[in-house]
Structures are given as structure tokens and as C-alpha cells.
Amino acid sequence: MREALIVWGGWSGHEPEECAAVIKGILEEDGFKVYVEHSTEAFADPSIHDLSLIVPIMTMSKIEKEEVKNLAAAVQGGVGIAGYHGGAGDAFRESVDYQFIIGGQWVAHPGNIIDYTVNITRPDDPLMEGITDFPYTSEQYYMHVDPSNEVLATTTFTGEHAYWIDGVVMPVVWKRKYGEGRVFYSALGHVAKEFDVPQMRTIFRRGANWAAR
């Protein structure tokens, strides 16, 4: 049986405990045995090297050097990472080692909660099969991203809330490798109810299963 670890905490505005419960349900539906922890100390545990998947939900938290060193080693050795929104993309601002794993870091969401479009750039990819461009209402994440990411979906900024980024095409969903580990990230998911959006939920489910060894 595949085993997954969800580690939640950080800024409460992203509803980390509620989102952890939603993701636990999704993974259990897909046959995972799921462990849930509420401290970054879990990342320092040697047993994480035996997992199939890790899901960090830790917006604006801090991670100790020994914790991120062990996490990086586990992923490099083949443990998968599946992350979303600020829980993974704005988790540890001071840790470049962590950002190197995820492949991006949030920097802004101009206009806060707005209506925008998610554009599927790789409809041929199994993670995106049957999904077409869709409207979305949430924070439109502006991120600094790794050029080695394999981008599956993007969004285009209008410049309405920051005129100098008019027309910028920003990755929303990507997958990548970190050593032997597979890393999946989606910028969608500001609060737990966004998992009720069928496309968002399906993309995360497929991404988590792809990342898990």
C-alpha cells in the first residue's frame, strides 16, 4: 500500500487543517494509507524516506536546516511531493533549498480574489486529459518559477491590478523532477471550498497520484 504524509500548519487564512482533511479523503479514496502531522519536525524523521508521497500545507512557516535537508534527501531518493497554492508555493520563504524542490515561490496576487482563466497548455498530458480551459475565482498567483518545470497550465494577467504585468503568462500547474522524486504543484486552492471545483480537484488528484512512487 502506498503511504502518504500530510504536514499542515502555517497561516490559518489558507485553512490548512480543513484542506488537510480534504486531501486526506482524496488520497484514501485512491488507496493510500495517510498520516497527518502538524509540525515541520515530521520532515526530520528518517521514516519519511520510506513514504510514497509528501503533501506540505505550511504557508509562511519556517523550516529548520536539518528538516529541509532530510526532506530534500527523501525526495531526491524517490519520495514524491504534491503541493498547491501557498501551502507549498509560499511555505518557507527563507529556504532556498525548499524552493529548489518545489520549483517556484509566490510573490504576489494582484487584486486578491478575482475572476481569471486557467489555460490548459498540455491537453495531451494524462494529468490534463479531458480538461479544457476553465474560469476560476481565487487569488491569481504571480510566482517566480524554475525554467526546468514542465508546465501543464497557465494564466494570463490583464494588468488591471498591476499595469506593468499586462499580458504576462504565468504557470499555474507544473510537474518536475528533483533527483529521483517527482514533484507536482498547482497554484489553485486558496481555501478548502476550492476543492469543490471539479477541474481543480481532478488536477490535484491526478498530480498527487503521478508524484507518488
Side-chain angles (χ1 to χ4, degrees):
M1 176 181 284
R2 294 182 298 175
E3 297 187 339
L5 170 66
I6 299 170
V7 183
W8 69 270
W11 184 58
S12 62
H14 277 163
E15 301 180 353
E17 186 173 11
E18 295 88 341
C19 290
V22 171
I23 292 170
K24 180 175 186 285
I26 290 172
L27 295 176
E28 286 177 341
E29 288 172 6
D30 290 345
F32 286 85
K33 182 177 183 180
V34 182
Y35 306 96
V36 180
E37 297 290 344
H38 183 36
S39 167
T40 58
E41 292 176 2
F43 295 133
D45 192 322
S47 68
I48 69 171
H49 291 256
D50 299 323
L51 295 169
S52 296
L53 182 70
I54 296 171
V55 180
I57 312 175
M58 298 294 301
T59 305
M60 291 188 288
S61 299
K62 291 186 182 295
I63 190 168
E64 300 298 327
K65 287 183 178 180
E66 64 271 19
E67 294 168 352
V68 74
K69 182 179 179 180
N70 190 56
L71 174 63
V75 178
Q76 196 168 347
V79 180
I81 290 264
Y84 72 96
H85 201 66
D90 187 27
F92 308 115
R93 294 180 181 178
E94 298 173 7
S95 177
V96 292
D97 295 327
Y98 171 80
Q99 292 161 19
F100 191 30
I101 298 171
I102 294 297
Q105 167 63 39
W106 169 87
V107 292
H109 43 68
N112 299 313
I113 303 295
I114 61 173
D115 296 327
Y116 62 96
T117 300
V118 177
N119 301 110
I120 307 304
T121 56
R122 286 287 308 278
D124 59 316
D125 190 280
L127 272 63
M128 295 296 171
E129 183 179 354
I131 298 174
T132 57
D133 297 355
F134 59 96
Y136 206 73
T137 302
S138 184
E139 293 172 335
Q140 188 181 29
Y141 262 22
Y142 198 96
M143 305 186 74
H144 290 171
V145 296
D146 191 319
S148 72
N149 295 341
E150 186 177 346
V151 177
L152 306 179
T154 62
T155 188
T156 302
F157 284 80
T158 64
E160 178 183 354
H161 305 287
Y163 67 86
W164 57 93
I165 59 170
D166 184 22
V168 169
V169 177
M170 182 60 57
V172 172
V173 180
W174 66 74
K175 60 183 183 179
R176 60 186 275 110
K177 293 294 293 290
Y178 183 86
E180 296 302 311
R182 293 179 171 188
V183 178
F184 166 81
Y185 177 78
S186 167
L188 309 176
H190 178 63
V191 289
K193 67 179 174 58
E194 289 187 26
F195 282 91
D196 293 337
V197 178
Q199 299 96 323
M200 181 273 194
R201 188 182 186 96
T202 297
I203 290 169
F204 183 83
R205 180 193 298 273
R206 290 175 178 174
N209 277 278
W210 171 84
R213 65 175 173 182

